[in-house]
Amino acid sequence: MSDQLASGRRIRTFNVIDDFTKQCHAMIVDTSISGHRVARELTRLIDLHGKPEFIVCDNGTEFTSMAMFDWVQRSGVELQFIQPGKPSQNGFIEAFNGRVRDECLNENLFSSLKEAQEIIENWRKRYNTDRPHSALNWATPNEFASSCSGVPQNTMDRTAVTCHA
């Protein structure tokens, strides 16, 4: 996603959603997000949350870069690309991005990158802790994830993470 600061400088967000728990594991905000940065963030998230079988993403340059193809080889995580021009193939992240746009980006005028990072991170935390989700029987993503603790990963069918930049 992109937005801009009050100065007109463009900012980008890199959003990572767990398809099973609906948790937003990361919303990285910066002026530019390279394939190297995406690979670094995904490695960090795997260290924290475990390794998915695959990651669904669009065809942005940060995902189709050599850095990401090298990361795929090292990590063993498959990238599944949606068809160009078919955002409905990645419907949950598109709906999530709409919420981000309506509830956070359109509601704030960011004076600096640091301010944008703080406000967006606070929104992400509220999304995970305060927003019930119909697909989770009206639990919040964090409540649902907690209810699954102790359940072997393979019985949860938790295989996919969705990314969008």
Side-chain angles (χ1 to χ4, degrees):
M1 297 185 68
S2 353
D3 201 33
Q4 65 181 19
L5 303 175
S7 67
R9 186 168 189 191
R10 188 178 85 144
I11 59 172
R12 303 220 19 182
T13 66
F14 167 60
N15 305 328
V16 181
I17 305 288
D18 183 311
D19 284 1
F20 182 71
T21 66
K22 309 301 185 214
Q23 286 177 300
C24 178
H25 287 308
M27 291 180 76
I28 307 306
V29 181
D30 214 327
T31 54
S32 133
I33 301 173
S34 68
H36 288 286
R37 176 78 182 273
V38 169
R40 211 171 37 245
E41 293 299 334
L42 290 175
T43 298
R44 182 184 70 80
L45 292 172
I46 286 171
D47 290 345
L48 288 172
H49 303 287
K51 184 168 97 170
E53 185 178 322
F54 60 90
I55 295 174
V56 179
C57 53
D58 62 24
N59 292 277
T61 56
E62 57 280 334
F63 299 116
T64 59
S65 69
M66 286 305 296
M68 282 303 295
F69 286 112
D70 290 344
W71 180 83
V72 165
Q73 296 299 311
R74 287 190 320 274
S75 70
V77 176
E78 178 187 345
L79 292 182
Q80 291 188 354
F81 295 97
I82 64 169
Q83 290 175 294
K86 303 269 186 174
S88 61
Q89 292 178 346
N90 211 354
F92 181 70
I93 194 91
E94 293 299 329
F96 174 82
N97 288 345
R99 286 184 199 94
V100 173
R101 172 81 49 211
D102 291 344
E103 299 172 13
C104 185
L105 301 181
N106 288 348
E107 295 294 319
N108 292 283
L109 182 61
F110 307 116
S111 60
S112 67
L113 178 62
K114 184 177 182 343
E115 180 184 42
Q117 290 167 333
E118 289 171 359
I119 289 171
I120 292 169
E121 177 61 12
N122 286 335
W123 185 91
R124 183 191 74 81
K125 288 177 181 176
R126 283 192 311 277
Y127 172 84
N128 285 332
T129 59
D130 297 346
R131 291 184 60 122
H133 197 289
S134 61
L136 304 175
N137 200 23
W138 300 107
T140 67
N142 283 359
E143 288 169 341
F144 181 76
S146 293
S147 75
C148 296
S149 62
V151 177
Q153 181 115 341
N154 60 352
T155 63
M156 294 191 324
D157 192 32
R158 185 174 168 207
T159 57
V161 170
T162 304
C163 296
H164 190 276

